[in-house]
Amino acid sequence: MNSLGRQARFLALGAALLLAISAMATPPPQNKSRMQDAARHSSEAAKVFTEIMNVRERAIPKELLDKAEAIAVFPGTLKAAFIFGGRAGQGVISRRVRGGWGAPAFFNLSGGSFGAQIGAQKTEYVLLIMNQDGLNGLLQDKFEMGGEASVAAGPVGRETAASTNLTLDAGILSYSRSKGAFIGAALKGAVISPDNDLNQAVYKVKATEVLTGKTMTMTEMPAAVRIFPRTLARYSLR
């Protein structure tokens, strides 16, 4: 083979190698779309939590935040009602780990109610999971608030001192924000279930393993979701 032929063959092999590397480095379109979903949920949850905590006189009390074992945020949950009411939304849950907060697992929030309501509105929900009973409930395939783990409306601002022991001993403290008003609101009847399609697309494991498996460091978790645990760490470390 003459030098010109060898050079052409070398160039062809190089081009093939570059194409192979490019294919490996470029995520499939579906996975890329799912990572964008994860980034959106994490970013929206971080934004909601920051806005709530920045109104100090109506924020979640620091002493309760520091006791929480996990925090869930469901931003922009749609509440719609025409005689029969319901809610539907997506959010994230991070568990406290040594020195910070773990990778956010992705969950769905749904549930119905009965009442003479007509209309629709968007509401944000924040849940403080205060103990192992509350966390165990969230690890079920479907967890109905107010079932096995006790749920109570969480106090805001300076309400902590006036709260009953029943409230402070609850497995989950729940809050809602609608039209700018942030209040403690018991979410009894709401159902929380893992969005394992998204969890597996992002982490290759289900929500249970994200929350209870080997802790991912900040550099190990996908960059797209780091904003949520970093935001929690700004307000509570222990």
Side-chain angles (χ1 to χ4, degrees):
M1 182 181 294
N2 58 32
S3 60
L4 188 59
R6 285 195 298 270
Q7 185 178 10
R9 184 179 178 187
F10 177 77
L11 289 173
L13 287 172
L17 181 60
L18 286 174
L19 284 172
I21 293 173
S22 176
M24 292 171 61
T26 304
Q30 184 178 4
N31 286 349
K32 184 177 181 180
S33 173
R34 297 265 65 194
M35 190 62 75
Q36 290 172 342
D37 290 340
R40 176 168 51 84
H41 295 324
S42 300
S43 177
E44 289 177 354
K47 180 176 181 289
V48 166
F49 194 79
T50 298
E51 290 173 352
I52 287 168
M53 295 305 297
N54 283 350
V55 184
R56 294 186 179 181
E57 66 275 13
R58 298 296 297 170
I60 299 170
K62 181 81 162 60
E63 56 266 39
L64 288 182
L65 206 57
D66 287 343
K67 291 177 182 177
E69 294 299 326
I71 294 178
V73 179
F74 292 88
T77 299
L78 182 64
K79 293 176 66 179
F82 185 86
I83 306 304
F84 288 96
R87 58 177 75 87
Q90 296 172 303
V92 297
I93 301 177
S94 280
R95 185 176 184 179
R96 191 185 294 276
V97 298
R98 180 174 295 183
W101 296 85
F106 301 97
F107 282 77
N108 296 317
L109 175 67
S110 61
S113 59
F114 181 84
Q117 305 177 45
I118 297 177
Q121 64 184 42
K122 282 193 174 181
T123 303
E124 287 102 19
Y125 293 101
V126 177
L127 309 178
L128 301 189
I129 295 86
M130 305 304 293
N131 53 37
Q132 193 61 42
D133 285 343
L135 191 60
N136 288 343
L138 291 173
L139 297 179
Q140 300 173 11
D141 288 338
K142 284 187 177 181
F143 171 60
E144 183 174 345
M145 300 280 285
E148 294 181 11
S150 58
V151 181
V156 298
R158 296 185 176 88
E159 293 178 8
T160 311
S163 299
T164 64
N165 288 335
L166 177 63
T167 298
L168 298 181
D169 289 341
I172 297 176
L173 298 178
S174 57
Y175 298 85
S176 71
R177 185 179 72 160
S178 180
K179 297 181 180 179
F182 182 65
I183 60 172
L187 268 178
K188 292 182 179 179
V191 175
I192 297 176
S193 56
D195 183 354
N196 280 327
D197 285 344
L198 186 52
N199 287 308
Q200 290 182 313
V202 175
Y203 303 114
K204 304 293 189 288
V205 295
K206 294 183 177 181
T208 299
E209 292 183 60
V210 177
L211 294 175
T212 64
K214 181 181 179 295
T215 300
M216 276 183 270
T217 65
M218 197 64 72
T219 54
E220 289 173 336
M221 70 179 74
V225 305
R226 294 174 192 167
I227 186 171
F228 186 66
R230 280 177 172 164
T231 298
L232 297 183
R234 285 169 49 200
Y235 297 98
S236 179
L237 286 175
R238 71 181 191 206

